[in-house]
Amino acid sequence: MDTATTEAADELRRPLPNGLAAALVFLSSGAVLVLETAALRLVGPYVGVTLQVTSSVIGIALAAIAYGTWFGGWLADRRDPRTLLAPALVISAITTAVTLPVVRYAGELLRGGAAPGMLLLVALAVVVPAALLSAVTPLVVKLQLGDLRHTGQVVGKLSSIGTLGAITATLGTGFVLVAVFSSTVIILGLAVVLGVTGLVVGGYLRRQGGVPIPGRTGTKVLVAIVGLGAVTVSTVAPDPCDVETEYHCASVEVDPDNSTGRLLVLNSAHHSYVDLADPTHLEFAYTQWIGAVADVMAPPGQPLDAVHLGGGGFTVPRYLTATRPGTDNIVFEIDGGLVELGERELDVRPGPDLEPVVGDARMLVTERPTDSADLVVGDAFGHLTVPWHLATREMAAEVHRITRPGGIYVMNVIDYPPLRFIRAQLATVAAVFPNIAVVAPPAGLAGEEGANFLIVASDTPLDLDALRHGLDTSIDEPATLLAGAELDRFVDGARVLTDEYAPVDQLLTVG
């Protein structure tokens, strides 16, 4: 064998520099977790942000990692890994960029909460780029195994580096990227980083040992064209969000029948309605029910101390301020972006009568003084689900603590047949408040359709006759008020939700 051939063979057996190998494993592993976190935000506007969606993203991403790692190892035993590293990174960059238009066009067709559509949309967002990125680590490991005496050390070291990359990406994306950049910027930025890294690695390996990029010239040109096209299409794909906050894809729509009406849409759900010219206008039935409770709990015009768990469009705080001047509204809203959107587009005006406080309502309620509220309004949702930690007996006990004697707690709940969640939530609130009622459409209570349910609770007897009169005279749609023995029959011994047992998403599953 001549000298040139021997040197070429030695070069092919030579491992990558340790720093380069570590960087590739760190980047590719981290990129999978950036993609996984961003996927939740991409699919949220179409299928919501529920436990099932989160579980789908995690499960499908893990499946992509498993099969991608297996396939990468299989390829590493059959091809020179040096010839595959750059193409794997470049193609993963292209498929990452393609994710945006694919999800946004497919999302319009798969919109809704059906499990098959949800799983398919998540798979479109995650599988291909995550599998390609997961193939990088076994390719690098194969190159670094030049001495079998140190196999465990090499595999263990690179495995730990990959895990550190995943941890760094998870924390960095959750705490920094989603707070600063939109999903489009995150995905396209990731694609650019992967593509540039692939080109740099390809150039480096080519200079070091003449490693060719596999494929014919025409194929390489086609890949380049597809890559450029993917980026171009991604930038013009329909974006369902006016604003991406840390928690929501949010948009504000003008009511075509009312020029001053505004509809707040969060992750595809119609969340709040605000009339900019008339703060006393309550469009949605459940807000009318809350208004009726407020109207009968104290003499007309009397100011209240109100605490709101969830702000959304700030419809009810605006109503209380307009109908009861001097009311002190404290609004706990976890999403600061929604507060800013409300100030910008929904006539939310912080001041002496309205104090938005950004933070988790469960934590903030514990900081409130005992007996400090006349009215507590629970209207916090993650998509269409009450966050589980706001639905437990322990949370209801905190609400009871801050509610003055004679005060009222109202809680908005959405449920669907067979109404397992609302029954459990009623049992939970009744475990803390001795007097309780529920307002809902007749068809909702009959289990014929999904509906909003308003729980009304107090430590003193409720004036049910006055509330029924208020519902009959001020509500656009028929509403039924259940209390006493009728309510007990409806609850039917449902299990109380606690911090140790609160399967809210499962109880809400239709079927």
Side-chain angles (χ1 to χ4, degrees):
M1 183 179 295
D2 60 32
T3 302
T5 302
T6 301
E7 290 177 352
D10 289 341
E11 183 63 37
L12 288 175
R13 290 193 295 269
R14 186 181 303 168
L16 297 174
N18 288 334
L20 177 59
L24 290 175
V25 170
F26 187 93
L27 173 65
S28 60
S29 300
V32 173
L33 270 296
V34 173
L35 184 67
E36 182 179 335
T37 305
L40 280 169
R41 300 177 71 80
L42 286 180
V43 303
Y46 309 104
V47 294
V49 183
T50 64
L51 180 61
Q52 285 84 358
V53 174
T54 303
S55 299
S56 298
V57 171
I58 294 172
I60 289 175
L62 288 173
I65 292 169
Y67 285 107
T69 302
W70 173 83
F71 183 63
W74 182 85
L75 279 178
D77 287 340
R78 286 160 177 79
R79 300 284 297 273
D80 177 10
R82 291 172 176 269
T83 66
L84 300 175
L85 281 174
L89 289 167
V90 171
I91 296 174
S92 68
I94 294 172
T95 55
T96 296
V98 168
T99 293
L100 279 172
V102 167
V103 170
R104 286 175 174 167
Y105 285 113
E108 296 297 335
L109 301 175
L110 300 173
R111 186 182 290 275
M118 177 195 309
L119 291 169
L120 177 57
L121 191 62
V122 170
L124 291 172
V126 172
V127 167
V128 176
L132 286 168
L133 288 165
S134 299
V136 171
T137 294
L139 294 175
V140 173
V141 169
K142 176 74 175 188
L143 285 171
Q144 302 310 97
L145 292 177
D147 184 350
L148 295 180
R149 293 174 299 176
H150 302 291
T151 299
Q153 179 180 338
V154 170
V155 174
K157 178 181 178 181
L158 291 176
S159 177
S160 68
I161 290 172
T163 302
L164 288 173
I167 293 170
T168 302
T170 301
L171 296 176
T173 305
F175 281 89
V176 180
L177 295 183
V178 297
V180 177
F181 302 111
S182 68
S183 296
T184 299
V185 172
I186 293 173
I187 293 294
L188 291 182
L190 179 62
V192 169
V193 170
L194 293 172
V196 170
T197 302
L199 294 175
V200 170
V201 169
Y204 169 80
L205 293 175
R206 189 175 183 85
R207 289 195 304 273
Q208 291 297 110
V211 177
I213 297 177
R216 298 179 179 179
T217 301
T219 302
K220 297 173 186 176
V221 171
L222 179 61
V223 169
I225 293 173
V226 170
L228 291 172
V231 173
T232 302
V233 173
S234 296
T235 58
V236 299
D239 189 342
C241 313
D242 289 342
V243 176
E244 275 195 63
T245 69
E246 291 186 56
Y247 294 88
H248 299 288
C249 165
S251 61
V252 176
E253 301 176 359
V254 178
D255 184 350
D257 299 321
N258 178 8
S259 62
T260 59
R262 299 292 184 271
L263 180 66
L264 176 64
V265 181
L266 303 180
N267 299 324
S268 78
H270 291 179
H271 191 279
S272 303
Y273 185 99
V274 171
D275 190 325
L276 302 180
D278 182 8
T280 66
H281 176 76
L282 301 174
E283 180 74 12
F284 294 159
Y286 84 89
T287 59
Q288 296 172 16
W289 303 338
I290 296 174
V293 171
D295 290 344
V296 302
M297 70 173 291
Q302 176 179 308
L304 299 173
D305 289 325
V307 174
H308 304 262
L309 314 181
F314 291 75
T315 305
V316 175
R318 293 175 76 248
Y319 174 84
L320 293 176
T321 299
T323 58
R324 297 174 177 271
T327 290
D328 184 15
N329 291 286
I330 307 294
V331 183
F332 298 152
E333 172 55 59
I334 196 170
D335 194 341
L338 281 188
V339 176
E340 294 174 2
L341 181 63
E343 293 177 10
R344 191 167 59 249
E345 298 193 37
L346 299 176
D347 196 33
V348 174
R349 301 175 184 177
D353 56 0
L354 176 59
E355 181 186 353
V357 182
V358 176
D360 190 295
R362 177 69 182 264
M363 303 298 102
L364 294 171
V365 163
T366 63
E367 300 172 3
R368 292 288 300 170
T370 299
D371 295 341
S372 59
D374 300 307
L375 175 67
V376 179
V377 180
D379 192 20
F381 283 84
H383 192 51
L384 299 177
T385 307
V386 177
W388 73 268
H389 67 308
L390 303 184
T392 65
R393 179 176 58 198
E394 290 83 353
M395 177 61 180
E398 282 296 322
V399 171
H400 183 268
R401 180 186 63 81
I402 70 170
T403 305
R404 293 188 178 114
I408 290 181
Y409 174 38
V410 293
M411 181 182 186
N412 179 32
V413 172
I414 296 175
D415 199 9
Y416 305 87
L419 306 182
R420 292 177 294 208
F421 177 50
I422 182 57
R423 289 187 168 96
Q425 191 64 72
L426 283 163
T428 301
V429 176
V432 176
F433 287 88
N435 300 279
I436 186 170
V438 66
V439 182
L445 287 171
E448 298 172 357
E449 62 185 26
N452 288 83
F453 297 79
L454 186 72
I455 299 173
V456 185
S458 179
D459 63 354
T460 58
L462 298 167
D463 190 342
L464 299 177
D465 290 336
L467 184 53
R468 284 193 177 94
H469 178 73
L471 292 171
D472 290 340
T473 57
S474 62
I475 306 304
D476 295 338
E477 301 174 8
T480 298
L481 175 67
L482 285 187
E486 286 184 311
L487 184 59
D488 291 340
R489 286 193 294 271
F490 178 76
V491 174
D492 193 26
R495 183 171 176 177
V496 172
L497 304 177
T498 69
D499 283 352
E500 295 229 351
Y501 176 82
V504 171
D505 293 271
Q506 289 80 359
L507 290 171
L508 269 166
T509 301
V510 179

